[in-house]
């Protein structure tokens, strides 16, 4: 069996910051993922810095607040693949992300104001609590619901299963396809609505769930967060002498997994690496990156019992590769390459995808078949996409509906022979 020698380790600051995380049963520490950011979203990491611009793949820790502005939307993924989605003008606080003595995950979120969608899978006996207004929902089984809260009223609507809401006026059952409103000015008295009213953001929530369901079908890992994005943005190949390795589509010559991202500082943990790539969560915390001549950088799964963040790889790296090093002497976010705290804009009417982009700038689910597009890019160097539905999330109704060749440049690489057909062509980027 091939046993590569450790070639590189985490920077000193990052290693110290994450040293306690693998011992989660002792520290009770948990970290979940900011998995999707659209428009203006801000984060307060409880570090005394106030709100900062948020970006995809930022870790969410206990005490973190997240808020969206007028055009902002965001999604948070928990370890088992459960999700919390927030709409514009919403603030949520993660008041608890811990473990019970028995090892069960305990999550508590407060909806300070605004509207959110909860899709809780209810796996492994994990518990989820949502507080809104003066009400509380405690889940120990699967549930899917929408909840809204303001200074004058609160509302909750169930899409799946029945659950109870506890508050000043007692306990209220919320049945599937039922909606309950609470009068904040009347001791949160509950009223069951006669009709289930749809919300404009219900479609976004539905499409997001369809995306995760579709691309997490074959998940054999112990974790659910990040898997659907890896399935959408890349695939596995059986590499001779190395075994099964995952590689993102559009990974060209000269690309490496650490060239785009940001260092973000967290109290008690120091700087943590956040990848700029939309798939960039699971491969940076488990398993190993490795450079294979003729194939490029690939990721081998494994190491599920050990949390390792950011910059780690094994074996000999590509010539000229220099891993980013955690900053010192500052607590501000430090951007590397094209990643970092940028405000996501609405999809452009046209977008060019090139070899070397590795999915950067390509919204999840926005193209119906990235495998096929990857093959085109490997052959021609670039492909131009034309926008379709701007509100779409699932691959069946992607935001970019058609592809056409655009000012194609000669490819200097190849499409790998594996079933995923990875592009290993020349450098470039996905740009608007």
């Amino acid at each position: 069996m091939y046993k590569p020698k450790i070639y590189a380790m985490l920077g000193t600051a990052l290693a110290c910051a994450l040293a306690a995380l693998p011992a989660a049963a002792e520290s009770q520490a948990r970290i979940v993922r900011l998995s999707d950011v659209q428009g203006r979203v801000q984060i307060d990491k409880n570090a005394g810095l106030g709100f900062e611009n948020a970006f995809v793949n930022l870790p969410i820790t206990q005490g973190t607040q997240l808020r969206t502005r007028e055009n902002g939307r965001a999604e948070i993924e928990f370890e088992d693949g459960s999700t919390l989605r927030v709409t514009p003008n919403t603030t949520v606080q993660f008041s608890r992300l811990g473990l019970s003595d028995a090892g069960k995950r305990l999550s508590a979120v407060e909806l300070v104001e605004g509207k959110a969608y909860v899709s809780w899978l209810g796996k492994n006996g994990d518990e989820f609590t949502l507080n809104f207004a003066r009400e509380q929902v405690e889940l120990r089984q699967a549930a899917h619901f929408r909840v809204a809260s303001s200074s004058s009223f609160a509302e909750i609507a169930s899409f799946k299963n029945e659950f109870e809401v506890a508050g000043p006026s007692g306990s209220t059952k919320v049945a599937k396809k039922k909606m309950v409103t609470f009068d904040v000015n009347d001791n949160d008295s509950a009223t069951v609505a006669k009709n289930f009213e749809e919300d404009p953001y219900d479609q976004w929530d539905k499409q997001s769930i369809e995306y995760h369901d579709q691309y997490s079908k074959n998940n054999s890992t112990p974790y659910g967060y990040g898997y659907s994005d890896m399935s959408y943005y890349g695939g596995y190949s059986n590499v001779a002498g190395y075994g099964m390795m995952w590689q993102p589509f559009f990974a060209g010559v000269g690309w490496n997994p650490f060239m785009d991202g940001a260092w973000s500082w967290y109290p008690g943990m120091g700087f943590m690496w956040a990848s700029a790539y939309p798939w960039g969560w699971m491969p940076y915390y488990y398993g190993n990156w490795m450079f294979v001549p003729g194939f490029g950088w690939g990721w081998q799964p494994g190491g599920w019992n050990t949390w390792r963040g950011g910059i780690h790889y094994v074996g000999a790296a590509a010539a000229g590769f220099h891993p980013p090093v955690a900053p010192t002497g500052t607590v501000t976010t430090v951007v590397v390459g094209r990643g970092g705290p940028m405000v996501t804009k609405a999809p452009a009417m046209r977008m060019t995808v090139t070899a070397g982009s590795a999915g950067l700038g390509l919204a999840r689910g926005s193209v119906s078949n990235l495998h096929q597009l990857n093959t085109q890019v490997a052959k021609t160097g670039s492909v131009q996409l034309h926008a379709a539905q701007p509100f779409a999330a699932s691959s069946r109704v992607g935001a970019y509906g058609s592809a056409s060749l655009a000012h194609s440049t000669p490819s200097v690489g190849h499409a790998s022979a594996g079933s995923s057909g990875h592009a290993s062509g020349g450098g470039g980027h996905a740009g608007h």
Side-chain angles (χ1 to χ4, degrees), residues 102-119:
K104 303 300 182 183
R105 300 184 186 106
L106 307 176
S107 305
V109 178
E110 180 179 355
L111 176 62
V112 179
E113 63 177 346
K115 186 185 302 174
Y117 292 81
V118 174
S119 177

Side-chain angles (χ1 to χ4, degrees), residues 47-72:
L49 301 174
F51 281 96
E52 311 167 70
N53 284 339
F55 46 98
V56 70
N57 292 319
L58 273 178
I60 300 291
T61 59
Q62 183 168 290
T64 295
Q65 288 191 72
L66 198 70
R67 73 181 182 189
T68 55
R69 311 313 281 174
E70 291 78 7
N71 66 337

Side-chain angles (χ1 to χ4, degrees), residues 44-403:
D44 184 340
K45 295 174 288 188
N46 200 27
L49 301 174
F51 281 96
E52 311 167 70
N53 284 339
F55 46 98
V56 70
N57 292 319
L58 273 178
I60 300 291
T61 59
Q62 183 168 290
T64 295
Q65 288 191 72
L66 198 70
R67 73 181 182 189
T68 55
R69 311 313 281 174
E70 291 78 7
N71 66 337
R73 286 179 279 166
E75 178 189 84
I76 298 88
E77 266 190 302
F78 296 85
E79 293 94 329
D80 67 349
S82 296
T83 51
L84 168 71
R85 273 173 287 279
V86 292
T87 67
N89 299 311
T90 297
T91 301
V92 292
Q93 180 171 4
F94 296 83
S95 52
R96 185 176 189 184
L97 289 172
L99 294 169
S100 70
D101 293 337
K104 303 300 182 183
R105 300 184 186 106
L106 307 176
S107 305
V109 178
E110 180 179 355
L111 176 62
V112 179
E113 63 177 346
K115 186 185 302 174
Y117 292 81
V118 174
S119 177
W120 188 250
L121 303 181
K123 296 180 178 179
N124 307 318
D126 294 344
E127 298 179 14
F128 177 85
T129 301
L130 179 77
N131 298 293
F132 66 102
R134 288 175 290 178
E135 309 301 316
Q136 184 178 82
V137 180
E138 291 186 352
L139 300 178
R140 291 178 174 82
Q141 61 182 10
H144 178 204
F145 60 88
R146 180 186 74 220
V147 59
S149 180
S150 71
S151 59
S152 58
F153 85 101
E155 176 186 278
I156 191 165
S158 174
F159 299 109
K160 177 181 179 181
N161 294 344
E162 179 182 272
F163 52 85
E164 291 189 357
V165 178
S169 297
S171 180
T172 303
K173 286 187 177 182
V174 184
K176 179 181 178 180
K177 292 299 180 182
K178 292 294 183 182
M179 187 168 64
V180 178
T181 58
F182 302 89
D183 189 344
V184 174
N185 298 317
D186 186 19
N187 202 37
D188 279 20
S189 59
T191 302
V192 179
K194 294 181 179 180
N195 300 311
F196 184 96
E197 296 181 8
E198 293 188 356
D199 184 271
Y201 287 96
D202 286 358
Q203 185 67 8
W204 170 57
D205 173 67
K206 178 182 178 182
Q207 291 173 339
S208 297
I209 289 177
E210 288 177 348
Y211 169 84
H212 287 296
D213 287 346
Q214 180 176 351
Y215 291 103
S216 63
K217 289 179 181 178
N218 300 317
N219 183 13
S220 59
T221 75
Y223 296 98
Y225 57 175
Y227 184 86
S228 55
D229 290 327
M230 289 184 65
S231 180
Y232 175 70
Y233 284 100
Y236 284 92
S237 294
N238 193 344
V239 182
Y242 296 85
M244 296 302 294
M245 299 189 73
W246 180 89
Q247 189 181 66
F249 297 137
F250 323 119
V253 172
W255 177 85
N256 74 72
F258 311 111
M259 65 193 301
D260 295 299
W263 293 103
S264 189
W265 191 85
Y266 287 78
M269 298 179 183
F271 275 102
M272 300 180 70
W273 174 258
S275 170
Y277 298 102
W279 46 263
W281 181 261
M282 190 179 290
Y284 295 85
Y285 296 111
Y286 308 99
N288 283 303
W289 284 101
M290 184 180 300
F291 179 78
V292 180
F295 178 79
W297 286 90
W299 176 77
Q300 288 184 322
W304 305 115
N305 295 323
T306 303
W307 174 282
R308 295 190 302 164
I311 314 302
H312 61 86
Y313 58 97
V314 297
F321 170 70
H322 299 286
V325 178
T328 59
T330 181
V331 294
T332 58
T333 298
V334 177
V335 174
V336 175
R338 295 166 292 174
M342 59 187 70
V343 176
T344 304
K345 299 179 180 179
M349 290 304 296
R350 292 184 179 183
M351 177 180 181
T352 301
V353 179
T354 61
S357 63
L360 188 64
L362 189 63
R364 70 183 194 187
S366 58
V367 179
S368 60
N369 193 333
L370 278 192
H371 176 277
Q372 182 180 11
L373 181 64
N374 178 66
T375 302
Q376 288 182 271
V377 171
K379 291 179 179 179
T380 64
S382 64
V383 170
Q384 188 173 95
L385 305 177
H386 298 277
Q389 301 181 44
F391 197 66
S394 74
S395 65
R396 283 180 289 230
V397 283
Y400 289 95
S402 60

